[in-house]
Amino acid sequence: MRRVLSTLLIIAATTALAVVPASAQRWVQDLPPVAQGYADLRSPFKTLTDKTWPVGAWRDGENQFHSTKSYFTVDLKPLRGKRIHDVHAYTYETAVTDCAKPRSVELWQTEVAEQPTWARAPKELSRLEGTVSGECLGRLSWDISAALTRAVATGAEKATFALRMASHRQLDVGFGRRYAALSVQAGVNTPPSAATDPRVNGKPCDGREHLVGREPALHAQVTDSDPAPGFQIRYVVTDVAEPAKRHEGIATHSDGTYYLPTGFIEHGHTYEWTAQGEDGADKGVPSPPCRFTTDLAAPATAPVVTSADFPQTGAGFPGTITFDAGGDPDVVAFDYNGQATGRVAADQPGGKATITVVVPSSGDKVLDVRSVDRVGHVSNATRFRFQVRPTHVHVFELPVDHPMLGQTYAYTFTSFEPDVTEYVYSVNNGPEITVPAPCDRCSAAVDIRVTSSHSTSVSVRARTAAGHLTEAGHSYLSTHPSWPFVQGDRQEIRIFPPEALDIAEYLYRVNGATEELTVAADANGQAAVQIDFGDHPFPNVEVRGRTADGLLTQSIQHYVD
């Protein structure tokens, strides 16, 4: 039974359009419409629009005859630079004139036409195959992958599709239908970039030999503009001499570095590797081949170590020590530690190296030396024992065993090394002071004041014209006792100055308290103080003196009854 389109049963679709399932390897890209409209035989020079899109013949409310085709134009620019896996067009029926009539709607790709009319209809290029789900109000989809892949390949920016009735039923009102707007979705993927800048242990593959001493870190630069998961870099490593020995590994972490597993590489073999980005759907261009050669063995022989300078060379003066690889071509450097630490290159593979060391103190010394190959493997150590001659400065003081606090004493510095121009000394580890040597191998005299109530230490080195500093000489003297004299009881404590010191004030603590109190000394250097000892079981006071120029005496503890 036929019914005019104005009285069609119009049912709103309650089911969303089907979409291409997204996977971890691709994105579903909606192609936005840039134009849509329908052409009508009754208005042959107009492009018309409506809320739904009429297809085929129908009559309006005034029983006027219409025959229409609906056109949809989509933007293809979102597909540029991407691999198109599939593209589908979707719509659903919103109204049917006669459900008993077989569905005869067709989807055609046409020439691009954003303002199509019946009189100026775009040329129809190809009919597209589709599928239907549902009964009278069905859902329709068409695979338009090939059509859009060709269009993008030719540089087209847009594509137009016509939803029309089969030609022999275009004028039969019994077949007319209405549709929702056409939706076009593409399953696309951007392949990973070409792998570039291959590196072995951070060094570029620029044609130079890569020698490695252990499983190396491989790296190539690869990016993937798609934010979907699944991106990784595949590394393929092959033994050049035995291609069957092959390893593949995957780097999925952010910097793309791959670490070869332990045990794969063998000593003396050369390997070639490439890196290639992949995202589960596409692969990028692999990196240029890069090679590395393995050296897993340490030098077989320890170096020979000799010196023409020691033991003649004294402490603080430069002397040379020579390392000899004995012609072992695997050796390119030497490691040494002990009296000096470092690495020095051999003059040629298997050759020699000479270092200059300055040992600050005299006596028996040790230097451990190892041969080093190009990848850093080291041989067993050669232990070189040598003597360093004493060069210390002789320090002479006035014949006093215990100098007095605050007094000044004469010290004499003497060095028997040649070309000494000055002496450098410090008192009680304080700042260094320099005094000139009057002549070569001459002594220098200095006055040193005793400022510590405990001891006076002096350290002296001689400096030569060449700038070398000798071994240090030392003097250590304990200071003469300098504590004040204390007497008294709970009522009053009297304090008397130590010998030969002009005391300006006394500092005292009561019963071991943290706080230190002060009392001024009188003109005779004495002081009297009344102290409340409280109920402390062992009442006591600890006292020390301070001179006018700030010197502090030793302290003394006095217990009262």
Side-chain angles (χ1 to χ4, degrees):
M1 168 179 167
R2 295 186 179 181
R3 290 171 290 177
V4 295
L5 196 58
S6 59
T7 60
L8 286 178
L9 174 63
I10 301 176
I11 302 178
T14 58
T15 304
L17 291 179
V19 296
V20 176
S23 69
Q25 296 81 25
R26 68 180 69 182
W27 284 101
V28 172
Q29 175 74 60
D30 288 317
L31 299 185
V34 293
Q36 49 192 3
Y38 68 90
D40 192 340
L41 175 62
R42 178 163 292 279
S43 304
F45 301 106
K46 292 182 179 180
T47 302
L48 305 172
T49 61
D50 202 344
K51 294 181 180 179
T52 57
W53 304 96
V55 176
W58 50 283
R59 291 184 181 276
D60 61 22
E62 298 177 358
N63 202 30
Q64 292 181 327
F65 179 82
H66 298 264
S67 182
T68 55
K69 300 176 183 179
S70 292
Y71 294 87
F72 306 91
T73 300
V74 295
D75 187 2
L76 301 184
K77 291 192 291 295
L79 301 182
R80 288 179 178 174
K82 295 180 173 63
R83 179 177 173 183
I84 302 171
H85 287 273
D86 52 72
V87 189
H88 288 77
Y90 303 94
T91 187
Y92 57 89
E93 294 170 334
T94 61
V96 177
T97 302
D98 188 351
C99 289
K101 297 292 186 181
R103 184 180 289 105
S104 298
V105 67
E106 298 173 348
L107 184 70
W108 286 74
Q109 183 184 10
T110 72
E111 292 180 341
V112 176
E114 296 185 49
Q115 295 292 325
T117 67
W118 191 273
R120 295 189 304 274
K123 181 181 178 180
E124 293 175 343
L125 302 177
S126 61
R127 180 173 173 269
L128 302 161
E129 296 297 327
T131 60
V132 179
S133 63
E135 295 300 331
C136 186
L137 292 176
R139 292 183 293 274
L140 288 71
S141 66
W142 294 268
D143 186 344
I144 60 174
S145 305
L148 288 200
T149 299
R150 285 193 302 269
V152 172
T154 62
E157 295 186 353
K158 301 173 184 177
T160 300
F161 297 92
L163 199 59
R164 55 158 293 173
M165 198 62 65
S167 297
H168 62 289
R169 290 171 175 165
Q170 181 67 43
L171 302 178
D172 189 336
V173 295
F175 289 86
R177 297 173 182 243
R178 279 186 177 266
Y179 290 88
L182 197 70
S183 172
V184 178
Q185 294 178 328
V188 297
N189 180 62
T190 303
S193 69
T196 60
D197 193 22
R199 290 175 176 262
V200 176
N201 289 337
K203 297 179 180 178
C205 296
D206 53 6
R208 290 180 293 181
E209 179 187 27
H210 285 285
L211 194 66
V212 302
R214 55 181 300 179
E215 288 76 5
L218 311 180
H219 180 271
Q221 187 68 36
V222 187
T223 59
D224 190 349
S225 61
D226 291 334
F231 169 68
Q232 59 189 22
I233 304 174
R234 183 178 298 274
Y235 289 85
V236 179
V237 186
T238 305
D239 191 318
V240 172
E242 302 178 65
K245 293 183 178 179
R246 186 173 181 273
H247 174 76
E248 288 192 24
I250 300 295
T252 58
H253 42 85
S254 58
D255 72 350
T257 300
Y258 181 70
Y259 299 88
L260 276 175
T262 302
F264 172 67
I265 61 175
E266 299 180 57
H267 174 66
H269 288 222
T270 297
Y271 297 86
E272 183 173 277
W273 64 275
T274 58
Q276 184 176 30
E278 54 187 43
D279 58 13
D282 294 296
K283 296 180 179 180
V285 177
S287 65
C290 180
R291 292 191 174 191
F292 62 86
T293 300
T294 57
D295 178 1
L296 307 182
T301 56
V304 175
V305 184
T306 58
S307 176
D309 291 337
F310 295 102
Q312 295 86 354
T313 297
F317 292 92
T320 60
I321 301 176
T322 299
F323 314 142
D324 189 345
D328 185 347
D330 197 28
V331 178
V332 297
F334 303 93
D335 276 353
Y336 55 93
N337 60 79
Q339 287 305 307
T341 300
R343 174 174 290 187
V344 61
D347 55 4
Q348 62 183 12
K352 300 178 180 181
T354 298
I355 63 169
T356 299
V357 297
V358 176
V359 183
S361 60
S362 59
D364 296 329
K365 307 299 176 183
V366 170
L367 195 68
D368 289 328
V369 186
R370 295 171 174 83
S371 296
V372 184
D373 66 15
R374 286 186 292 171
V375 296
H377 296 310
V378 297
S379 70
N380 293 329
T382 294
R383 173 153 288 189
F384 178 61
R385 301 181 183 275
F386 61 103
Q387 286 277 333
V388 179
R389 178 177 57 82
T391 61
H392 62 272
V393 176
H394 296 269
V395 184
F396 301 96
E397 320 92 1
L398 286 178
V400 54
D401 291 335
H402 302 290
M404 301 285 292
L405 179 67
Q407 299 300 307
T408 298
Y409 297 89
Y411 283 72
T412 301
F413 307 146
T414 302
S415 173
F416 298 105
E417 297 298 322
D419 300 324
V420 169
T421 60
E422 59 188 14
Y423 294 93
V424 180
Y425 72 97
S426 67
V427 179
N428 294 333
N429 297 316
E432 290 189 327
I433 303 170
T434 301
V435 295
C439 58
D440 186 25
R441 296 180 179 174
C442 288
S443 300
V446 297
D447 290 331
I448 296 176
R449 187 180 184 217
V450 178
T451 59
S452 168
S453 62
H454 301 289
S455 62
T456 299
S457 64
V458 180
S459 176
V460 188
R461 294 178 294 170
R463 180 180 282 125
T464 67
H468 303 306
L469 285 167
T470 68
E471 189 175 12
H474 300 280
S475 168
Y476 180 90
L477 295 175
S478 298
T479 305
H480 188 276
S482 60
W483 52 76
F485 299 95
V486 181
Q487 63 183 30
D489 50 26
R490 287 178 176 269
Q491 280 69 47
E492 183 179 71
I493 296 295
R494 295 197 59 80
I495 310 171
F496 302 90
E499 179 183 357
L501 281 177
D502 183 12
I503 299 298
E505 61 182 5
Y506 293 97
L507 296 84
Y508 64 95
R509 303 176 194 273
V510 178
N511 296 336
T514 302
E515 182 182 10
E516 194 169 35
L517 305 174
T518 304
V519 60
D522 61 19
N524 297 319
Q526 301 177 11
V529 59
Q530 285 76 43
I531 298 174
D532 181 4
F533 291 97
D535 57 357
H536 194 279
F538 304 102
N540 68 92
V541 60
E542 183 182 358
V543 183
R544 58 179 177 160
R546 180 154 52 200
T547 66
D549 58 356
L551 299 183
L552 289 168
T553 71
Q554 293 172 301
S555 63
I556 187 171
Q557 194 165 25
H558 175 72
Y559 288 86
V560 300
D561 296 333

